[in-house]
Amino acid sequence: MKTVSENRSFGGVQGVYSHASKVCGVEMTFAVYLPPQASQGPVPVLWYLSGLTCTHENAMTKAGLQAHAAEFGVALVFPDTSPRGEGVANDDAYDLGQGAGFYVNATQDPWKPHFQMEDYIVQELRDLVQENFAVTESHGVTGHSMGGHGALTLAMRHPDHFVSLSAFAPIANPTQSDWGRKQLGAYLGDDESLWSGHDATLLLRDKGWKGDILVDQGASDQFLDLLKPESLASALAETRTPSVFRMREGYDHSYFTVSTFGRDHVAWHAERLKS
């Protein structure tokens, strides 16, 4: 693991690091914020999964989560959204390829050799963070848009890995959306029966979630038709999953929405991670 940068932030340290990923077969970059409490002993971890076109840097610099993480004594992990670099498959469209890994393990060429983002997040990077930073084994996960999709699906697919779960404007029903059908078809193939395991709405009905879920969705989000929040809200009600689902009047799909409600989410996770 290489240190790219480290900066003091709210009494803690915001670091950026890189490592040679065996899972993805390329050099991967990620960021970790350690709050001041980590100097006294291990702290719980909140993973933030970013959306389409983002790297590790977007939420790290725009979401303003470090102040809340310092307040509540929680570490933050900001992974990249896909493998990158020479020799990594890509597409001219912004919503496929580099920057758009969708947090799945690709089974189809040309994506299969590098796009193994599910295993990267829940296995390789988790182990790396656990081994190299002052953190406990109590992990929560949140994310925005494609990252909200990733947070919901990875938590439900790997309930032993995560204690707490929330999302900002998640792609909630990708098997029924152009933000999903295109990517799941490219990465997983044409057999749509294989897609359901990566759809939060369908996963909730099939597997459920062991705890409660917090979701914030802007009512003025310009991508509502692609996100399909009504599908997730319906599934939460049908499965009687304890949840707080808030449609925020006037808020859109930007990081202004994430930063506005970021403290609520960090506090939500801190309460559950420390209990």
Side-chain angles (χ1 to χ4, degrees), residues 18-19 22 125 175 238 266:
S18 67
H19 71 111
K22 293 181 179 179
L125 186 56
T175 61
E238 289 171 17
V266 176

Side-chain angles (χ1 to χ4, degrees), residues 169-230:
I171 301 174
N173 194 191
T175 61
Q176 302 302 314
S177 170
D178 288 340
W179 272 1
R181 294 188 61 82
K182 173 183 178 179
Q183 295 82 0
L184 296 175
Y187 297 141
L188 303 178
D190 295 333
D191 183 355
E192 295 190 20
S193 66
L194 302 176
W195 301 359
S196 60
H198 302 278
D199 182 309
T201 296
L202 300 181
L203 270 172
L204 190 62
R205 292 187 176 119
D206 181 38
K207 292 181 177 293
W209 169 245
K210 62 185 179 182
D212 48 6
I213 302 174
L214 170 64
V215 178
D216 273 305
Q217 170 65 63
S220 296
D221 193 313
Q222 57 270 47
F223 301 113
L224 278 177
D225 289 344
L226 293 166
L227 301 171
K228 298 190 177 300
E230 66 279 1

Side-chain angles (χ1 to χ4, degrees), residues 19 21 23-24 28 47 49 77 79-80 102-105 116-131 137 139-141 149-163 198 209:
H19 71 111
S21 168
V23 170
C24 295
M28 296 289 285
W47 291 72
L49 306 184
V77 179
D80 203 344
F102 253 73
Y103 304 100
V104 302
N105 291 334
Q116 302 295 313
M117 288 302 295
E118 180 172 3
D119 284 351
Y120 176 68
I121 297 295
V122 302
Q123 295 180 16
E124 186 176 38
L125 186 56
R126 179 188 174 97
D127 289 346
L128 190 70
V129 168
Q130 204 72 52
E131 292 166 6
E137 294 185 359
H139 293 235
V141 61
H149 145 80
L152 293 167
T153 58
L154 293 184
M156 284 186 270
R157 288 171 63 83
H158 304 275
D160 292 341
H161 286 62
F162 299 105
V163 174
H198 302 278
W209 169 245

